[in-house]
Amino acid sequence: MDLSNRYNSKESEEKWGRFWEENHLFHTEVNPDKEPFTVVIPPPNITGILHMGHALNNTLQDILVRYKRMKGLETLWMAGTDHAGIATQNVVEKQIAREGKKRQDLGREEFLKRLWAWQKQYGDTIIHQLKKLGSSCDWDRTRFTMDEHYSQVVTSVFVQLYEKKMIYRGQHIINWCPRCQTALSDEEAEHKEVKGALYHFRYPFKDDPAKYVTVATTRPETMLGDTAVAVHPKDKRYKKLIGKILILPLMNREIKIIADEYVDPKFGSGAVKVTPAHDPNDFEIGKRHDLEFINIMHPDARLNEKAGRFAGMDRFTARKEVVNALKELGALDRIEDHLHSVGHCYRCHTVVEPYLSKQWFVKMKPLAKPAIEVVKKKKIKFYPARWTKVYLNWMENIRDWCISRQIWWGHRIPVWYCPVCPEDKNVIVANMTPQECPRCHSKKLIQDEDVLDTWFSSWLWPFATLYWPQNKKDVEYFYPTSVLFTASEIIFFWVARMIMAGLEFTGKIPFSDVYIHGTVRDDKGQKMSKSLGNALDPLEIINEYGADALRFSLIMNSGQDLFISKDKFEIGRNFANKIWNATRLILKNVPDNMDFQKQFAKLKPKDLDRESCWIISRFHSTLAAVSRAIEQYRFSEAETLIYEFFWGNYCDWYLEMSKDKLAQETTQVVALSVLEQSLKMMHPFMPFVTEEIASKLPGHQGSLVRQSWPNLKKRLIDREIETQMQRLIEIIVAVRNLRKELNIALMEQIDITFSVDKEDIAFIEDYSPVLKKIAKINHLSCTTKDQESIPPLAKIAVVGTIKCFIPVCVEDIQKEKEKIEIQYQQKLAALERVKARLQNADFLQKAPAPVVEKDKLTQETLEREIEELKRTIDRFSSR
RNA sequence: GGGCGGUUAGCUCAGUUGGUAGAGCAGUUGGCUUACAUUCAACAGGCCGUAGGUUCGAGCCCUGCACCGCCCACCA
């Protein structure tokens, strides 16, 4: 067979990708004879394209899934995409903004049409990209979070929770994104440390305007909505002032001094301005003291008419203006630098505003309780285990979940309001659009405008994708799923909520293992993102290096967080190429129609040479370790083992030792068998190249996908021979060392003598043929230690108890010595020159710094080299 | 404020029952040996952050400290 000396990744990826898909090799069915293994994909958002995080996440899943499939389990990897409410709506809004339009210009219906069009296009794109990566999902089952059935499940789950009184609607301070113009959950507000300022203001007393109370804030504009000042009830400084009236500057509103335990007397002045409509703590204080709630802001964060003369200003403009105005009034006490954490929208990074509004919430405490239990009882385990604590800590302090979003793209909240019935009795929650109000039979019902949080659908993913609850057969067989792969950022958003939903709705845990992998960063440690311009595009890497190279290299680096630069992908590409070329060597030498598997089965140990026994033993040792590593989710370790075995043992030593025996049938059979078994072992990691190569082996049929994982044969593991071969390798390295020292070319035949203990004579004799061949030894003599006679002028290398030496003649040594002495003198002279230059520079102080630096470096280098040469000369003299 | 992770060769990192420090890349030297220059051979390079402790023995276990990074929290 004639094969190119470079592995062509593009060609075979296209070929095998198509082959797998056309033959539905990843398709799964309920099969009572087989044990099921299920993984659900973390559904990528339909916002755009595959990034490195996806590549890592899906490679990890694919390795395990392909491994389990080969182990004979009925392995379902559920594929799909997420509608990603806010994120997708944002990108489509940007798209129509280019036409100069807003979503309101299109209207809800038209806008949603655009979104569905987007979904059609980008949903397919991302699936296509997952396929290019080699992901072996059951594509026949591909789901989308807004599929009809899936949406029904979302609705029914909402209704269920509502009926259990676990969903409620209420006025609360929520995180509001003024740009997306929607409420966010606490998790969707990312807190970042920001250098801000703490502004101290003076609020004068009504009855004595000369006196005042100092309060502090990081958001001056909110003072326009203040309705009280709070102090700690036991604070001596303020005790007698409680109940007094202050005049709120700029607004000239009378506000009372109230006492509340919340206030920390040690912070600032010990007095707090209270803005119940714009701060969660103040909101609570406001409720406790029955204060007025003044909302001073429009949804887009411009101030409203309640803000007096500041109305219409953006919040940050108003911030400056309020400070200026207070300064003019003499009410500004001081401004301090202040480091504090500020919430940002996780989708558009705008500073979120604590905002009072009416939203839907899920009561989380009752859901969290069993979800804490299952993790504490180790029904669900995190890998690495340290994430358990992170999970538990969050769950134990969980707060209610704001699930309504003021956007259009998503699952519409299944709530209708009757305009006739009174305010608190007008809510109708139903699975289907109700025809009339059950109380007053009015037919003019109005549906809630809002949609549900994206994660309110994602949390059902492990079972809703199986057509729960209708498809009992699939659910019973494939659910609970086996393991979930995700990044740590997603634990709260998704993992925790899936556990709660699984327990609440199916009564079962959704998965038993959670594998948390690292984040992909650039080589400087920054998160990869399009906006930073440091993102490496997986598709570009696939194009340039190949999908297997991408996969292999990513996993190689996946111990913790990954710091990736482009050149890291060479290791995978080179390895794929190495496998390819090893195969070329073998195929060149074996007949096309050889039934090597059958012949291998018939081989007896006595038919085999030592190298063959060794490589077979090494294969099975590696296989055992690789299987164990995969089962324990130690994927990078598994790859290292494979790499060392295939390149370091099979190619570097076995094939080198066997090259000239490849005409012999036994060698052919062993070489081919180990290759074929190795391909199977490597297939989960590098599916394309292994398929391509396997297909070229004699007698090969079909695909590796459904072949079985190599059988571990412990009796073929021979520790003894592995140790012996290790020793032999060390000896060969030592001999090569000698040649290097003596300047003898690698290919030049040499004579060598070994001086060994008596019991090692047999070892040397046994291995002498291969030793002579690999180390290019012409004449090999062996003496025992008691009668050894090493000539005085020999080069000696010691390997354990074995000494090897080559005699050398006096002239050679003399010549070499002279050469080195000349070098030594030259370097010494050079050093003197550099030193002189440096001294001169110091003295005159006019040499530019780089020159001095360079000379210093040169001096260091020279000194090191001189040291080295001196040592060499000493060695010559001691002989 | 609480919690977690890291600190090992110039760079990126392995190092799971505590037993004489490893890989890849970069570097130096030498090889076009018809499988592979996406290669082969050889070399060099580490008080394993710091101070103590446990132990016959610590990169690994315990304690303190320093620096870096991450997460959580109602830090007006």
Side-chain angles (χ1 to χ4, degrees):
Chain A
M1 208 176 301
D2 196 25
L3 300 175
S4 129
N5 64 350
R6 286 283 162 89
Y7 166 62
N8 185 333
S9 60
K10 268 183 218 160
E11 219 168 75
S12 48
E13 281 167 25
E14 198 177 310
K15 174 166 130 201
W16 290 102
R18 202 179 322 114
F19 183 88
W20 295 331
E21 188 160 8
E22 279 169 2
N23 292 284
H24 297 267
L25 284 179
F26 312 135
H27 186 70
T28 43
E29 292 287 351
V30 171
N31 181 345
D33 301 331
K34 278 177 155 186
E35 194 187 325
F37 185 86
T38 313
V39 175
V40 290
I41 198 169
N45 293 345
I46 55 166
T47 45
I49 50 169
L50 201 76
H51 57 67
M52 276 298 166
H54 291 126
L56 171 66
N57 177 261
N58 287 289
T59 301
L60 287 163
Q61 293 176 77
D62 196 51
I63 290 170
L64 188 66
V65 159
R66 283 185 188 265
Y67 168 77
K68 293 284 180 183
R69 194 182 286 121
M70 291 176 84
K71 287 285 260 186
L73 284 80
E74 185 68 20
T75 304
L76 165 60
W77 184 9
M78 180 69 74
T81 47
D82 194 305
H83 68 282
I86 302 173
T88 312
Q89 170 153 331
N90 280 352
V91 292
V92 173
E93 277 184 324
K94 259 184 217 157
Q95 193 190 43
I96 62 172
R98 266 177 250 135
E99 302 162 21
K101 286 184 193 154
K102 286 195 206 152
R103 73 179 207 244
Q104 286 80 2
D105 300 333
L106 296 182
R108 189 162 190 147
E109 202 177 319
E110 201 50 38
F111 184 63
L112 286 178
K113 270 190 198 158
R114 297 289 288 262
L115 270 148
W116 278 108
W118 177 280
Q119 186 273 335
K120 182 84 198 67
Q121 188 183 348
Y122 286 90
D124 289 353
T125 305
I126 198 116
I127 294 292
H128 176 69
Q129 291 171 340
L130 289 173
K131 288 175 185 170
K132 289 200 85 167
L133 238 193
S135 302
S136 61
C137 300
D138 183 350
W139 303 112
D140 302 333
R141 292 180 189 259
T142 306
R143 308 281 190 255
F144 176 55
T145 48
M146 280 171 68
D147 284 344
E148 198 186 338
H149 171 268
Y150 200 106
S151 301
Q152 283 167 15
V153 179
V154 172
T155 303
S156 77
V157 152
F158 183 97
V159 175
Q160 264 186 59
L161 287 177
Y162 181 79
E163 284 166 357
K164 286 190 194 164
K165 304 221 182 308
M166 286 168 69
I167 281 186
Y168 64 92
R169 189 177 188 226
Q171 283 273 1
H172 287 277
I173 301 273
I174 42 82
N175 299 293
W176 180 266
C177 175
R179 206 219 58 85
C180 303
Q181 302 228 2
T182 177
L184 300 172
S185 67
D186 292 334
E187 294 67 43
E188 288 171 320
E190 286 179 342
H191 287 268
K192 284 184 227 165
E193 286 275 291
V194 170
K195 267 189 216 161
L198 190 59
Y199 303 84
H200 298 260
F201 301 145
R202 295 166 181 167
Y203 290 2
F205 286 94
K206 183 189 178 191
D207 50 9
D208 187 358
K211 290 189 176 161
Y212 55 85
V213 170
T214 308
V215 295
T217 180
T218 53
R219 292 182 293 146
E221 70 282 8
T222 62
M223 64 82 64
L224 303 169
D226 283 3
T227 52
V229 166
V231 296
H232 194 275
K234 286 182 186 150
D235 192 331
K236 279 182 197 134
R237 295 169 293 177
Y238 296 110
K239 218 166 179 177
K240 53 184 179 293
L241 301 177
I242 294 164
K244 294 250 182 197
I245 306 293
L246 298 167
I247 300 293
L248 182 67
L250 303 178
M251 301 307 285
N252 296 319
R253 184 157 63 232
E254 294 188 1
I255 57 175
K256 223 199 297 190
I257 298 180
I258 57 171
D260 198 285
E261 299 270 348
Y262 161 75
V263 180
D264 175 6
K266 291 193 282 291
F267 190 94
S269 65
V272 185
K273 64 186 270 306
V274 182
T275 323
H278 291 280
D279 183 278
N281 298 309
D282 296 9
F283 176 76
E284 294 301 321
I285 296 175
K287 277 203 296 192
R288 283 199 286 273
H289 297 271
D290 201 18
L291 300 174
E292 197 185 340
F293 294 77
I294 303 178
N295 184 343
I296 59 161
M297 233 176 247
H298 289 299
D300 62 357
R302 277 179 309 113
L303 301 200
N304 64 22
E305 67 289 350
K306 295 277 173 56
R309 63 186 161 103
F310 300 96
M313 285 183 198
D314 171 75
R315 54 184 164 162
F316 297 120
T317 314
R319 182 167 298 175
K320 281 182 208 137
E321 293 302 320
V322 164
V323 173
N324 284 340
L326 286 168
K327 198 172 176 182
E328 273 168 37
L329 277 179
L332 177 66
D333 187 277
R334 64 187 196 278
I335 304 173
E336 292 173 326
D337 288 341
H338 187 67
L339 198 66
H340 62 141
S341 87
V342 177
H344 294 73
C345 172
Y346 83 139
R347 284 306 174 207
C348 74
H349 310 292
T350 305
V351 174
V352 298
E353 198 63 30
Y355 198 66
L356 183 62
S357 73
K358 206 169 201 180
Q359 304 288 346
W360 286 94
F361 295 87
V362 180
K363 275 188 203 165
M364 295 308 274
K365 285 258 187 299
L367 290 174
K369 213 177 156 219
I372 290 170
E373 281 301 297
V374 293
V375 170
K376 279 194 172 162
K377 287 187 175 154
K378 301 202 193 309
K379 298 250 163 51
I380 298 179
K381 286 194 247 104
F382 282 83
Y383 297 85
R386 64 190 144 88
W387 295 106
T388 313
K389 223 171 147 180
V390 175
Y391 168 88
L392 287 175
N393 183 51
W394 186 75
M395 290 294 263
E396 278 159 3
N397 297 293
I398 200 162
R399 285 175 297 170
D400 286 356
W401 176 15
C402 175
I403 52 169
S404 41
R405 296 290 177 275
Q406 288 65 51
I407 56 172
W408 290 345
W409 179 238
H411 303 94
R412 191 92 177 251
I413 294 182
V415 171
W416 289 262
Y417 303 101
C418 170
V420 180
C421 290
E423 175 83 42
D424 51 347
K425 291 195 176 130
N426 65 344
V427 174
I428 303 150
V429 176
N431 276 305
M432 309 267 243
T433 308
Q435 296 309 302
E436 55 174 42
C437 171
R439 285 169 286 261
C440 72
H441 304 290
S442 159
K443 288 193 165 45
K444 289 183 186 160
L445 302 180
I446 302 159
Q447 185 169 9
D448 196 306
E449 288 294 316
D450 294 348
V451 302
L452 291 161
D453 180 5
T454 271
W455 302 99
F456 192 87
S457 60
S458 317
W459 75 333
L460 313 173
W461 188 253
F463 50 90
T465 47
L466 288 166
Y467 284 88
W468 174 90
Q470 287 84 355
N471 191 341
K472 289 205 175 60
K473 215 174 132 200
D474 273 4
V475 173
E476 261 170 41
Y477 185 72
F478 289 114
Y479 185 87
T481 70
S482 309
V483 48
L484 183 88
F485 287 81
T486 195
S488 60
E489 299 97 276
I490 312 299
I491 295 178
F492 306 141
F493 279 124
W494 196 43
V495 179
R497 287 173 182 154
M498 276 192 287
I499 296 175
M500 293 188 270
L503 291 168
E504 175 69 18
F505 305 118
T506 71
K508 290 180 185 167
I509 53 171
F511 32 72
S512 40
D513 289 356
V514 180
Y515 178 85
I516 305 291
H517 61 247
T519 308
V520 184
R521 298 165 188 284
D522 70 8
D523 52 354
K524 290 180 198 73
Q526 282 189 305
K527 244 185 203 179
M528 282 200 180
S529 76
K530 246 189 270 173
S531 53
L532 283 171
N534 62 350
L536 285 175
D537 178 0
L539 293 173
E540 234 174 70
I541 300 295
I542 289 176
N543 208 21
E544 196 171 329
Y545 295 88
D548 292 317
L550 170 71
R551 294 167 59 114
F552 192 84
S553 310
L554 271 180
I555 299 306
M556 219 37 174
N557 285 286
S558 71
Q560 39 183 63
D561 277 3
L562 299 82
F563 297 80
I564 295 293
S565 55
K566 210 172 172 188
D567 54 326
K568 291 250 161 82
F569 296 101
E570 285 174 10
I571 188 171
R573 178 199 58 183
N574 295 358
F575 188 48
N577 196 240
K578 189 73 182 177
I579 308 171
W580 176 256
N581 276 298
T583 310
R584 274 202 327 139
L585 171 67
I586 294 169
L587 292 187
K588 244 181 182 174
N589 289 284
V590 302
D592 288 349
N593 54 355
M594 173 171 229
D595 192 350
F596 64 91
Q597 284 151 319
K598 205 167 163 188
Q599 295 194 45
F600 186 73
K602 276 195 255 167
L603 281 180
K604 302 251 160 45
K606 65 174 171 52
D607 306 332
L608 297 174
D609 53 23
R610 283 163 194 275
E611 304 92 277
S612 297
C613 291
W614 172 71
I615 200 64
I616 291 166
S617 172
R618 283 297 305 134
F619 173 78
H620 285 280
S621 300
T622 307
L623 178 67
V626 167
S627 307
R628 194 168 51 238
I630 297 175
E631 300 274 358
Q632 297 174 353
Y633 306 117
R634 283 155 30 201
F635 300 102
S636 62
E637 186 185 320
E639 272 195 358
T640 309
L641 288 162
I642 285 174
Y643 186 83
E644 278 170 0
F645 164 74
F646 195 81
W647 198 317
N649 296 160
Y650 185 75
C651 293
D652 284 351
W653 293 101
Y654 179 70
L655 288 184
E656 287 304 325
M657 289 171 178
S658 313
K659 248 180 190 172
D660 59 352
K661 286 198 246 174
L662 272 174
Q664 294 171 26
E665 199 171 63
T666 315
T667 309
Q668 293 174 349
V669 167
V670 174
L672 268 173
S673 294
V674 174
L675 174 64
E676 195 228 10
Q677 301 267 84
S678 301
L679 290 173
K680 287 182 184 170
M681 180 168 70
M682 296 189 277
H683 179 254
F685 301 88
M686 310 182 96
F688 295 104
V689 67
T690 47
E691 278 282 34
E692 178 68 24
I693 292 173
S695 75
K696 303 223 178 314
L697 299 188
H700 181 81
Q701 285 175 344
S703 153
L704 288 180
V705 170
R706 297 232 166 228
Q707 300 221 359
S708 48
W709 186 251
N711 252 327
L712 177 61
K713 291 189 179 131
K714 285 211 176 116
R715 66 188 163 78
L716 293 179
I717 298 178
D718 185 340
R719 297 282 171 219
E720 174 75 25
I721 209 158
E722 287 195 25
T723 313
Q724 284 179 5
M725 193 61 76
Q726 195 50 47
R727 202 168 174 206
L728 180 74
I729 287 171
E730 280 168 24
I731 293 171
I732 293 170
V733 169
V735 172
R736 284 175 179 161
N737 245 315
L738 285 181
R739 326 174 73 104
K740 190 92 177 178
E741 279 186 61
L742 292 169
N743 264 324
I744 303 170
L746 263 177
M747 295 313 289
E748 194 179 322
Q749 295 283 335
I750 53 168
D751 292 348
I752 199 161
T753 311
F754 290 90
S755 165
V756 299
D757 292 336
K758 273 204 184 90
E759 53 272 33
D760 284 332
I761 291 179
F763 168 73
I764 295 289
E765 273 169 4
D766 282 351
Y767 284 94
S768 110
V770 57
L771 189 52
K772 284 169 91 169
K773 179 165 67 190
I774 298 299
K776 300 278 184 279
I777 296 168
N778 182 38
H779 183 74
L780 189 159
S781 45
C782 201
T783 64
T784 51
K785 288 233 170 102
D786 47 335
Q787 48 181 239
E788 92 181 5
S789 55
I790 301 176
L793 292 174
K795 280 272 180 188
I796 307 171
V798 181
V799 182
T801 55
I802 298 175
K803 272 187 207 161
C804 16
F805 54 87
I806 303 173
V808 279
C809 61
V810 190
E811 291 79 24
D812 284 350
I813 290 181
Q814 200 51 38
K815 258 187 225 159
E816 206 179 330
K817 192 182 169 189
E818 280 163 15
K819 219 169 80 191
I820 288 171
E821 274 174 346
I822 291 168
Q823 267 185 34
Y824 178 71
Q825 294 302 333
Q826 284 171 344
K827 297 269 174 183
L828 273 181
L831 180 64
E832 285 313 312
R833 281 198 300 275
V834 171
K835 274 184 174 170
R837 209 156 57 219
L838 270 170
Q839 262 172 17
N840 208 25
D842 285 348
F843 178 68
L844 296 170
Q845 287 187 353
K846 67 180 180 190
V851 172
V852 175
E853 284 306 308
K854 213 176 137 195
D855 275 343
K856 278 184 180 158
L857 279 175
T858 315
Q859 182 183 346
E860 278 173 33
T861 318
L862 281 171
E863 278 169 354
R864 248 203 332 267
E865 285 172 357
I866 289 169
E867 252 332 283
E868 184 74 20
L869 288 169
K870 192 152 184 296
R871 273 204 297 276
T872 315
I873 293 171
D874 289 348
R875 267 209 309 276
F876 276 111
S877 313
S878 68
R879 284 236 184 80

